[in-house]
């Protein structure tokens, strides 16, 4: 299993733990490609789909050849004829055809995934060629693969393929692998948040992507899956080959490729230690989160899908502090979920929490969360500063009303709070409040049951943190989205690994805005929580407690570790210490980080 040359790749640590497994490379393609495992019974159908896609392209090229043959050499230069011949040849290439079948038959990859994987394999061989002419044929291969993918997309009508639901456990994919227990780790240049969701079924033991910052949404979804992940690993997807053995150290942000037996043994030992630590934490599940001096602390969950709610409760959450509803809107190829679908989804989350409160954040599409991974929505210069979140919702009030109605209706089934992202302007607040009222009035007129909701605003833009009085006048509670608050305060794109070193939760300006928000809410007797990644970071728990925070919303996997910190904390002592940190030029040094 081991041998060759061990090397390591450094990236950003985003999700804790150690994964050891074989690399599965997911090629990035300009066409929206779904990746999922199929059932063995679907193998022939998938092979047929590729064949039909390929035949359609072959026909197209033949037609083109015929048209060209009727033209003179001036209108149809020799190069064009030659190029068509090359494309036709590549389409029939044994290695391509055989490889695609292999990925479908032996790995149970869906047709598109098989095609892009094989493209990646062959493209690498082209890269290594001495002959420049042949090296350049790679671009042709990419072009025709894309043509075949498009032809295949034309055949399929459904949005998400049914096979997505197949988990590694239920599919018999394992039986077809040489080593049935081998965990698989995913290596990709980039994975869109919606693609990441498709992988949420437990297919992979870890993730590595070339791009992305620590709080990019891809990283957030990886973290919610509670598997080791490294992002911003720059060239990982070029350096790692399909099937390579890989260790992902999610704590250090390191990927070790082709480990030597000694290194492997060391990481297996670490892995066992982490498992032990995890089971020790498990004992805290039913312990109430109360500090040494008796302060009660609320530990809530961040979820992406309604089905996550139940698991969140099982992980010890006393409610959902952030349901990122935009994940219901992604990968839908433009067909947004209607009121009924949203209503049912929100109800599932409410039911999943068994009577505990669920905070539904209205849709936050935009920036690094496009609706579809390859659909470019408008031509935004700076997507993070563009039409995102509430701005997007207010730009299409009827769509927003649909969501508001669905949330209000779900509130008839259990405690629901509504949370609005990215507000900065009083005009936005007014429009939002008016639309919530309108949605309620409509439902009442139609005789549809709806429940009471507390209305909250996210504090994610410095402008909001600096005008808290206005926010507190209109909202029942506030929730600080530190991921964006840091991004916008420091002008650091959270998804850009090249500036990740400047993304600093402990920058004095960030801490000042955060501390003031907590203090102002407490002074006015309004609830405040933090739902950014800071809330789930155990290195921050004491500081946040010291600043007066009593409500934390995080990935369910972090809850027990944060609870352990809470149980060991004495807020009477942390409070003056937090003020020192807050006033320090270098808070991280004052904290002893
Ligand atoms: C945040 O910005 O901190 C937040 C919780 O929202 P999101 O990460 O979805 O932007
Ligand atoms: Mg945000």
């Amino acid at each position: 299993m081991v041998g060759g040359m061990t090397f390591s790749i450094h990236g950003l640590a985003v999700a804790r733990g150690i994964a050891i497994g074989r690399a599965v490379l997911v090629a990035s393609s300009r066409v929206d490609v779904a990746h999922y495992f199929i059932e063995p019974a679907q193998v022939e159908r998938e092979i047929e789909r590729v064949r039909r896609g390929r035949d359609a392209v072959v026909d197209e090229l033949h037609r083109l050849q015929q048209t060209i043959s009727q033209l003179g050499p001036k209108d149809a230069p020799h190069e064009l004829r030659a190029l068509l011949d090359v494309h036709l040849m590549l389409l029939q290439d044994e290695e391509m055809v055989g490889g695609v079948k292999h990925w479908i038959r032996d790995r149970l990859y869906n047709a598109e995934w098989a095609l892009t994987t094989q493209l990646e394999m062959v493209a690498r061989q082209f890269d290594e060629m001495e002959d420049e002419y042949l090296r350049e044929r790679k671009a042709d291969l990419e072009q025709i693969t894309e043509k075949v993918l498009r032809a295949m997309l034309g055949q399929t009508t459904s949005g998400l393929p049914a096979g997505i639901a197949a988990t590694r456990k239920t599919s018999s994919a394992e039986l077809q692998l040489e080593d049935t227990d081998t965990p698989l780790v995913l290596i990709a240049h980039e994975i869109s948040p919606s693609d990441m969701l498709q992988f949420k079924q437990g297919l992979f033991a870890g993730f590595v992507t070339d791009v992305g910052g620590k709080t990019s949404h891809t990283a957030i979804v990886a973290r919610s899956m509670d598997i080791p992940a490294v992002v911003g690993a720059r060239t990982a997807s070029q350096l790692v080959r399909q099937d390579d053995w890989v260790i992902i150290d999610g704590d250090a942000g390191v990927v070790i490729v082709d480990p030597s037996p000694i290194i492997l043994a060391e990481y297996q030992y670490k892995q066992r230690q982490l498992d032990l630590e995890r089971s020790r934490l498990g004992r805290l599940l039913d312990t109430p989160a109360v500090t040494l001096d008796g302060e009660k602390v609320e530990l809530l969950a961040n979820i992406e899908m309604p089905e996550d709610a139940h698991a969140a409760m099982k992980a010890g959450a006393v409610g959902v502090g952030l349901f990122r509803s935009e994940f219901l809107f992604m990968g839908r190829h433009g067909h947004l979920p209607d009121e009924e679908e949203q209503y049912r989804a929100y109800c599932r989350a409410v039911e999943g929490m068994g009577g505990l409160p669920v905070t539904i954040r209205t849709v936050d599409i935009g920036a690094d969360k496009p609706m579809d991974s390859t659909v470019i929505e408008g031509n935004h210069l700076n997507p993070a500063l563009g039409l995102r979140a509430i701005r997007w919702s207010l730009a299409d009030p009827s769509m927003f009303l649909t969501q508001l109605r669905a949330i209000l209706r779900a509130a008839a089934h259990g405690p629901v709070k509504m949370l609005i992202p990215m507000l900065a302007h009083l005009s936005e607040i007014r429009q939002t409040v008016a639309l919530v009222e309108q949605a309620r009035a409509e439902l009442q007129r139609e005789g549809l049951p709806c429940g009471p909701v507390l209305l909250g605003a996210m504090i994610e833009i410095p402008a909001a943190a600096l005008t808290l009085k206005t926010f507190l006048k209109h909202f029942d509670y506030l929730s600080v989205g530190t991921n964006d608050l840091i991004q916008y305060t420091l002008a650091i794109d959270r998804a850009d690994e090249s500036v990740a070193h400047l993304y600093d939760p402990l920058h004095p300006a960030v801490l000042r805005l955060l501390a003031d928000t907590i203090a102002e809410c407490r002074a006015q007797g309004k609830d405040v929580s933090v739902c950014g990644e800071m809330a789930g970071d155990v290195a921050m728990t004491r500081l946040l407690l010291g600043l007066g925070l009593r409500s934390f919303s995080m990935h369910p996997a972090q809850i027990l570790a944060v609870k352990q910190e809470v149980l060991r904390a004495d807020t009477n002592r942390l409070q003056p210490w937090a003020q020192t940190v807050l006033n320090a030029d270098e808070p991280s040094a004052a904290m002893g980080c």
Side-chain angles (χ1 to χ4, degrees):
M1 113 175 217
V2 285
M5 268 278 284
T6 301
F7 64 96
S8 57
I9 306 167
H10 293 252
L12 303 165
V14 294
R16 302 200 49 198
I18 286 161
I20 304 172
R22 294 250 245 162
V24 172
L25 277 139
V26 172
S28 42
S29 161
R30 273 165 288 166
V31 183
D32 199 0
V33 175
H35 304 89
Y36 55 95
F37 289 104
I38 56 168
E39 296 294 335
Q42 296 170 320
V43 164
E44 292 311 319
R45 198 198 66 184
E46 290 300 283
I47 293 178
E48 177 62 18
R49 281 182 55 220
V50 184
R51 206 178 55 76
R52 293 217 320 256
R54 194 192 59 180
D55 288 352
V57 179
V58 169
D59 285 352
E60 187 192 318
L61 295 183
H62 277 148
R63 275 198 304 277
L64 216 63
Q65 260 181 339
Q66 267 181 359
T67 321
I68 286 173
S69 67
Q70 287 153 16
L71 300 173
K74 207 166 123 277
D75 296 317
H78 172 70
E79 288 81 2
L80 186 56
R81 293 165 203 258
L83 195 66
L84 282 180
D85 288 341
V86 170
H87 278 197
L88 277 166
M89 198 188 72
L90 288 172
L91 277 169
Q92 325 279 349
D93 181 70
E94 276 303 308
E95 202 178 342
M96 258 323 263
V97 175
V100 172
K101 283 189 185 156
H102 158 71
W103 298 116
I104 297 177
R105 281 216 175 97
D106 302 336
R107 286 295 176 84
L108 298 177
Y109 287 5
N110 66 305
E112 290 86 353
W113 186 3
L115 196 58
T116 50
T117 303
Q118 188 57 20
L119 168 68
E120 199 80 346
M121 301 284 286
V122 178
R124 267 171 208 237
Q125 293 171 14
F126 275 105
D127 281 342
E128 284 158 15
M129 284 175 184
E130 296 283 327
D131 184 329
E132 196 177 335
Y133 170 78
L134 285 176
R135 257 205 327 265
E136 282 172 7
R137 297 286 66 80
K138 183 179 137 183
D140 295 312
L141 187 64
E142 282 170 347
Q143 265 180 27
I144 60 146
T145 307
E146 205 159 309
K147 276 206 174 97
V148 176
L149 283 170
R150 285 191 199 281
M152 280 161 58
L153 276 181
Q155 305 161 4
T156 48
T157 46
S158 66
L160 292 178
I164 280 175
T167 66
R168 189 147 180 255
K169 272 209 175 69
T170 56
S171 99
S172 44
E174 290 168 272
L175 301 176
Q176 315 259 331
L177 295 169
E178 315 109 68
D179 176 354
T180 52
D181 290 330
T182 309
L184 300 176
V185 297
L186 183 66
I187 317 277
H189 177 66
E190 185 173 20
I191 310 172
S192 72
S194 62
D195 270 350
M196 204 67 154
L197 271 193
Q198 296 183 13
F199 294 127
K200 215 172 165 170
Q201 317 283 347
L203 301 170
F204 295 105
F207 286 94
V208 179
T209 60
D210 294 348
V211 301
K214 266 189 172 195
T215 61
S216 64
H217 284 91
T218 301
I220 286 175
V221 179
R223 209 170 291 137
S224 79
M225 294 158 76
D226 194 20
I227 54 174
V230 171
V231 300
R234 288 159 201 264
T235 49
S237 75
Q238 285 161 40
L239 297 173
V240 181
R241 286 158 313 167
Q242 194 79 26
D243 282 347
D244 274 351
W245 280 96
V246 169
I247 297 174
I248 302 177
D249 182 340
D251 294 279
V254 174
V255 184
I256 299 160
V257 186
D258 226 340
S260 69
I262 294 179
I263 295 178
L264 186 70
E266 189 184 318
Y267 276 95
Q268 282 169 334
Y269 174 75
K270 274 195 194 174
Q271 213 175 18
R272 281 194 296 276
Q273 292 298 106
L274 286 171
D275 287 346
L276 272 177
E277 198 180 301
R278 212 176 263 250
S279 58
R280 266 199 299 273
L281 279 177
R283 292 185 211 132
L284 300 179
L285 192 62
D286 298 319
T287 313
V290 180
T291 62
L292 290 174
D293 54 320
E295 288 283 311
K296 287 198 184 76
V297 177
E298 186 178 46
L299 301 179
L300 305 164
N302 291 356
I303 64 169
E304 280 92 37
M305 295 305 263
E307 290 66 34
D308 299 338
H310 190 65
M313 194 174 70
K314 289 264 178 260
V318 297
V320 168
L322 175 66
F323 174 2
R324 289 184 163 98
S325 69
E326 55 273 16
F327 283 89
L328 297 173
F329 289 64
M330 289 179 188
R332 312 270 313 212
H333 305 282
H335 300 289
L336 299 188
D338 64 12
E339 182 178 323
E340 278 309 306
E341 185 182 341
Q342 288 191 55
Y343 164 65
R344 282 197 303 274
Y346 303 145
C347 284
R348 284 204 301 283
V350 169
E351 280 151 22
M353 285 313 283
L356 296 169
V358 176
T359 307
I360 302 170
R361 176 175 72 183
T362 59
V363 65
D364 183 359
I365 284 287
D368 67 332
K369 278 182 290 194
M371 271 203 290
D372 292 296
S373 38
T374 51
V375 178
I376 299 151
E377 285 134 17
N379 196 8
H380 301 302
L381 291 173
N382 287 304
L385 301 182
L387 195 67
R388 188 194 153 181
I390 189 64
R391 303 168 181 184
W392 193 77
S393 295
L394 291 176
D396 188 349
S398 73
M399 185 222 42
F400 193 32
L401 270 173
T402 302
Q403 178 167 40
L404 297 176
R405 286 170 55 108
I407 297 174
L408 290 172
R409 285 176 59 196
H413 300 272
V416 167
K417 295 182 185 181
M418 208 186 267
L419 183 59
I420 314 293
M422 283 275 290
L423 288 163
H425 301 267
L426 180 59
S427 59
E428 293 169 327
I429 297 177
R430 287 202 174 117
Q431 287 175 63
T432 302
V433 172
L435 284 168
V436 174
E437 281 165 8
Q438 183 183 334
R440 187 179 291 284
E442 282 177 15
L443 292 171
Q444 278 163 354
R445 236 188 352 260
E446 293 162 27
L448 286 167
C450 48
V453 295
L454 290 178
L455 188 60
M458 288 192 76
I459 302 297
E460 311 193 86
I461 302 181
L466 293 167
T467 51
L468 290 167
K469 287 200 171 50
T470 308
F471 278 78
L472 287 170
K473 240 182 257 162
H474 294 92
F475 291 98
D476 301 310
Y477 71 98
L478 301 182
S479 186
V480 189
T482 45
N483 304 338
D484 279 316
L485 189 61
I486 297 165
Q487 155 165 276
Y488 297 125
T489 305
L490 302 178
I492 297 301
D493 188 332
R494 59 194 264 197
D496 184 348
E497 70 280 3
S498 68
V499 284
H501 60 291
L502 297 172
Y503 187 93
D504 180 13
L506 291 174
H507 189 289
V510 173
L511 290 185
R512 172 55 58 198
L513 295 174
L514 179 58
D516 287 354
T517 307
I518 297 169
E520 188 75 28
C521 284
R522 284 180 68 113
Q524 296 204 24
K526 293 240 169 143
D527 287 341
V528 58
S529 70
V530 169
C531 62
E533 299 298 294
M534 248 177 126
D537 182 348
V538 287
M540 300 291 163
T541 312
R542 283 152 38 89
L543 179 64
L544 293 171
L545 286 169
L547 294 175
L549 190 73
R550 297 292 178 266
S551 175
F552 297 63
S553 194
M554 67 199 83
H555 296 291
Q558 286 303 107
I559 287 179
L560 296 183
V562 172
K563 194 190 273 188
Q564 178 165 274
E565 289 296 311
V566 169
L567 297 174
R568 292 172 178 170
D570 178 345
T571 62
N572 289 321
R573 290 172 52 178
L574 289 177
Q575 202 256 339
W577 168 77
Q579 289 307 310
T580 327
V581 173
L582 185 59
N583 293 315
D585 291 341
E586 214 180 336
S588 57
M591 273 178 79
C593 299

